[in-house]
Amino acid sequence: MAKDNKKNRSAIIVTSVVIALIIVVGITSNQRENLHFIEKWLGNVITPIQKSTTTGINFVRDAVNPVVNYSRIKRENDGLRSEVEDLREQIIKARLERDELEELRSLSYALNYVPKEENYRHIAANIVSKNPGNWFDTFVIDIGEENGVKLDSVVVSSNGLVGRVFEVGGNWSKVISIIDNNSSVSFQIMRNKNFKGIITGSVNYELSGYLFDPLAEVIVGDKLLTSGLGIYPSGILIGEVIEVSRTTDQLLKTITVEPSVNFKRLNKVLVYIPLN
Amino acid sequence: MGTILAWLIVLLNFILQGTLFQYFSIFGVVPNTTLVIIVCFALFSDKNKGAIYGFVIGIMHDMLYGQALGVYALIYMLTGYFIGLINRKVFKDNLIISFFITAIATFFYILVNITLIYVLRHDIALSDLPILSIIIQVLYNSIISIFVYLYVFKLYKKRILKF
């Protein structure tokens, strides 16, 4: 009898904890303004340890990588060399355009045109650790409240849009990347900025989305930029269209996009912090 | 002493899983060593301890990586509890047992994750499910669990590790 009671007791405890957890999941499933101090504390303790681990790993990787991947690096080098040639030509063109722009700017100043202010300040951050769960794409960076990071600050890398800050701790923050299935970004097509739409992440490292205008012409290879609607400022590169499809049962044009950022090899990001 | 070592392993795994183990990914699939450790520990402890291990590791995961608090605590706690419940009925000497139990635990883990994605927001279609990734996750975890199980078994027999 006593044994039976004991057996039941642990079952009851587990059941009540399960119910409590389900309620907690329900409450916290939306984005929260502030973290509980225990959460912040855990991150403040764990993140520095993980940071030093990551630094060590990156050091070893940078040392070993050139030896192991010699042929690939050589190939890459050749590719880069021809790209440099192309870019040099483009620089000359850009320089000419810049001179023209400067002239126009001075003209607009003369005409008392009010320039648009830059509302962001940016800080570089290191990625400390990534979500090991395989189903969600979040990661932790090494700056937080102490550095002025705010909720929904936009995170970019040198190649394009990475994601947004989801939760902020003391010296760390949690970033949700654009390929996570809980993230959606409004975009415009670089070639023709009138064509806009929305892309969302999915469970298999892909971005997919649709265009608002079913007649919009979009082709494979089109580059996508953020449109400026929502929290992301406009003009950040998102990726390239790799597939355009139109199913019969829906009137929208759906596209599959390859992000311009390589999320697997990412370890440094830039955080745009809104000034007010 | 043995219990402290067990918790140290848990903590070390938590630190390394987000950092070092990211480099051991196959087709983008990172091994879920947390799940493997919960399975192996729970096989040698009782259901209460299995549930506690699962809960603590899960809540840590939720705090640092999760979008909703409590999801992984739920998955890992139930995994630890149920394995702790059946562990007297299984042969400890058989290596295949850890393989199978990890496979089942990984299936359960994937199922809860898919449900969560569905409930949280995203309208996920069955055809969208990454079948290849699911298969790799199950196999990868199960194969790793054989090695982890071997070591845990050895340390447990020598009474270095206690739960």
Side-chain angles (χ1 to χ4, degrees), chain A residues 151-216:
Chain A
L151 255 151
D152 283 339
S153 298
V154 174
V155 181
V156 299
S157 83
S158 55
N159 295 327
L161 187 63
V162 172
R164 67 189 163 94
V165 172
F166 187 71
E167 280 165 6
V168 187
N171 55 10
W172 61 284
S173 6
K174 201 185 286 179
V175 176
I176 169 167
S177 70
I178 52 168
I179 50 171
D180 187 275
N181 41 59
N182 205 359
S183 152
S184 52
V185 185
S186 125
F187 70 85
Q188 60 192 1
I189 289 169
M190 196 193 221
R191 192 167 39 84
N192 187 341
K193 291 186 175 150
N194 291 322
F195 299 147
K196 291 186 168 125
I198 283 179
I199 46 166
T200 50
S202 69
V203 283
N204 33 12
Y205 287 97
E206 243 172 22
L207 288 165
S208 59
Y210 56 86
L211 286 121
F212 296 137
D213 184 1
L215 297 174

Side-chain angles (χ1 to χ4, degrees), chain A residues 218-273:
Chain A
V218 52
I219 48 171
V220 173
D222 266 346
K223 294 233 167 30
L224 302 185
L225 303 174
T226 49
S227 71
L229 299 169
I231 59 163
Y232 300 102
S234 73
I236 304 173
L237 187 64
I238 301 171
E240 206 177 288
V241 178
I242 50 169
E243 198 188 321
V244 182
S245 57
R246 188 171 190 168
T247 40
T248 46
D249 59 331
Q250 57 191 55
L251 290 164
L252 296 166
K253 236 178 203 173
T254 55
I255 52 170
T256 311
V257 178
E258 197 192 350
S260 55
V261 177
N262 186 347
F263 285 93
K264 281 172 196 158
R265 291 186 173 270
L266 200 62
N267 45 32
K268 263 201 188 332
V269 292
L270 207 63
V271 183
Y272 278 43
I273 297 163

